Amino acid sequence: MKLHEALRELCRKHGSIIVQKKNLVYLLSDLGAFEELPGMREVMKALVSGGFAKDLYAWSLRKGRDSYLAHAEVVRKSLAAKGHFREEEARFAADSVSFAFGFADSVREPHAGEDGPGPEDGSGTGGDSVPVTVPKPGRRIEFLRRKAESGSDDAQYRLGTLCLEGGDGAGALRWLRRSAEQGNAMAQTGIAVMYMEGSGVAQDYEEAMRWFRKAAGHGNSAAEGSIGNLYHFGLGVSRDMEEAVRWYRKAAVHGNSPAANNLGVLYRTGDGVTRDFREALVWFRMAAEQGNPEAEYAIGSMYAAGEGVTQSWREAAAWFRKAALRGEDTSQFNLGVMYHNGTGVRQDYEEAVRWYRMAAEQGNPKAASNLGNLYSDGCGVEQNLSEAVKWYRMAAEQGIAQAQFHLGRMHSGGLGVTQDYAEAAKWYRKAAEQGIAQAENALGCLLRDGQGVPQDYTEALSWFRKAAEQNFAEAERNLGGMYLSGLGVGKDPEEGLRWIRKASEDEEAREERSSGD
């Protein structure tokens, strides 16, 4: 079975899912779903690798194809349990694994002599098939070392990379230098990256630039883009945006998507060039055509804002979806908001939960805060106050003011957690210090009543006033009560009544706005 035939059959069975070879890795990349199936990462990679047949066939020999085919249903259930995939997508993922192995079965690979001598155990597989040789890690390194010693610049480069991954900076530099001295541009770039990042060597931007220039002389687009970065940020050289643009453009034309994306950013912001949204879109689209998620996100943002294009929420959602499927968390968050509000897509709270969760699990605090709201309200998901607290906390600890307020509210009311006024006061204060009127008022109430904090009428009055100045009706009423009672301020019935009347007026105005909407 050829790969395209397998995909065609997948499309027949799963017509509602768009299937492209270049997108399979993103659809199947929720590796956390495969934790109980060691080696599934290799399957996912093999599904989209250029050496699909060889890689997957070799993997099946090592890991045992039948055992994983038997786990297809486990794969499906595990994906579904993650909540990232609809049922039909989970079934597609399981079928993809099965089809992948079916394709591997039809392949008869020649002996891969370059990888080393003979099968590990000296046994064949029977019939007319010849197994792909897969040496043990130690044997592979020894084989590379022999080739490197004999002068192979490619083996020297690969051995240097393995040394770096193993934490042997000196060994990495030694082998990469030997390869680089033979003109291997990838090795030259590797050395440059070591110096730029201070990985295995002392950080030295000037030395990084020297090696990047060597690699760029061979047309290495990654090196060209990195030279652009060094000029852009003035690392090892004086900041020079004209030079940065020149090198970014050269790298982009040579197919470097990060450089094309960087050019898009510069033209969109007007940093070092005349601001030009249409020119920005040209470069963003070039990067997006190569699957760059940052560029796809940028195009979505430009459609949302109407920058260089006719404003279109539908187009924005389409581009955010492309980037989101590649794991770009801000796009995942944006899709969540759009499904939450029905902007550019049909309103669908379950889809909002799905996209918020994907972004939140990558650490996106805004997504975590919104996910907490949906769990708190039972919207798009079964109400679960403990789960709401978990997501609020994640967002609150990253400084999201609304999440800090809600976390305070949960502790104050004993919602999903044991009631704890001191903990409530802590989070209310953090949110209040960011100007959240509800938190200012709530903190004022705890200070006025001495709940979780020492009673302090003066500070309570101060927080009520801050919230009242934002036309928060409940705080205006509380402030009026303080004046009427003379708590923390001289008794002043006239001022107290003024604030209470204002609270009523603001509430009426808010209700009118709501009914108008």
Side-chain angles (χ1 to χ4, degrees), residues 228-244:
N229 288 334
L230 293 175
Y231 275 114
H232 186 169
F233 298 105
L235 301 174
V237 291
S238 299
R239 189 171 191 263
D240 187 331
M241 291 307 297
E242 185 175 339
E243 277 293 286

Side-chain angles (χ1 to χ4, degrees), residues 213-355:
R213 286 190 184 279
K214 286 178 180 288
H218 295 284
N220 185 285
S221 66
E224 293 168 339
S226 295
I227 292 173
N229 288 334
L230 293 175
Y231 275 114
H232 186 169
F233 298 105
L235 301 174
V237 291
S238 299
R239 189 171 191 263
D240 187 331
M241 291 307 297
E242 185 175 339
E243 277 293 286
V245 169
R246 184 172 76 86
W247 282 102
Y248 282 151
R249 191 182 299 273
K250 182 180 291 191
V253 169
H254 288 163
N256 186 272
S257 71
N261 181 68
N262 288 343
L263 277 176
V265 172
L266 295 184
Y267 278 106
R268 187 183 183 192
T269 60
D271 183 9
V273 295
T274 301
R275 193 179 196 187
D276 187 332
F277 291 139
R278 292 187 181 277
E279 185 72 7
L281 277 168
V282 168
W283 296 107
F284 281 140
R285 288 186 187 278
M286 179 183 288
E289 286 171 0
Q290 299 176 63
N292 187 298
E294 293 180 3
E296 291 169 337
Y297 162 73
I299 296 172
S301 298
M302 294 182 78
Y303 270 106
E307 296 175 347
V309 291
T310 301
Q311 196 277 340
S312 170
W313 289 114
R314 186 177 296 277
E315 278 294 308
W319 283 101
F320 286 145
R321 186 181 302 278
K322 289 175 183 285
L325 287 171
R326 301 186 196 281
E328 207 286 315
D329 67 286
T330 306
S331 295
Q332 292 168 343
F333 165 70
N334 286 349
L335 269 182
V337 172
M338 296 177 88
Y339 276 109
H340 197 158
N341 299 325
T343 305
V345 294
R346 59 180 174 77
Q347 189 173 52
D348 187 330
Y349 294 124
E350 291 184 6
E351 277 293 286
V353 168
R354 176 181 177 234
W355 290 109

Side-chain angles (χ1 to χ4, degrees), residues 87-111:
E87 175 70 14
E88 62 269 25
E89 290 175 333
R91 290 192 178 281
F92 167 75
D95 281 353
S96 295
V97 175
S98 297
F99 274 113
F101 282 125
F103 175 55
D105 279 347
S106 69
V107 175
R108 296 293 181 266
E109 293 288 349
H111 188 279

Side-chain angles (χ1 to χ4, degrees), residues 124-164:
T125 57
D128 60 355
S129 62
V130 180
V132 176
T133 302
V134 186
K136 294 178 180 178
R139 292 176 62 185
R140 179 180 292 277
I141 292 175
E142 183 57 35
F143 177 69
L144 278 177
R145 189 181 302 278
R146 289 200 304 271
K147 293 197 69 177
E149 292 286 6
S150 68
S152 167
D153 65 291
D154 180 62
Q156 290 164 349
Y157 164 70
R158 292 166 66 189
L159 189 56
T161 300
L162 287 174
C163 287
L164 188 61

Side-chain angles (χ1 to χ4, degrees), residues 141 145 156-177 190-191 194 198-202:
I141 292 175
R145 189 181 302 278
Q156 290 164 349
Y157 164 70
R158 292 166 66 189
L159 189 56
T161 300
L162 287 174
C163 287
L164 188 61
E165 291 175 353
D168 180 5
L173 191 60
R174 181 172 68 255
W175 287 112
L176 289 177
R177 277 186 186 278
I191 295 172
M194 288 179 69
S199 178
V201 295

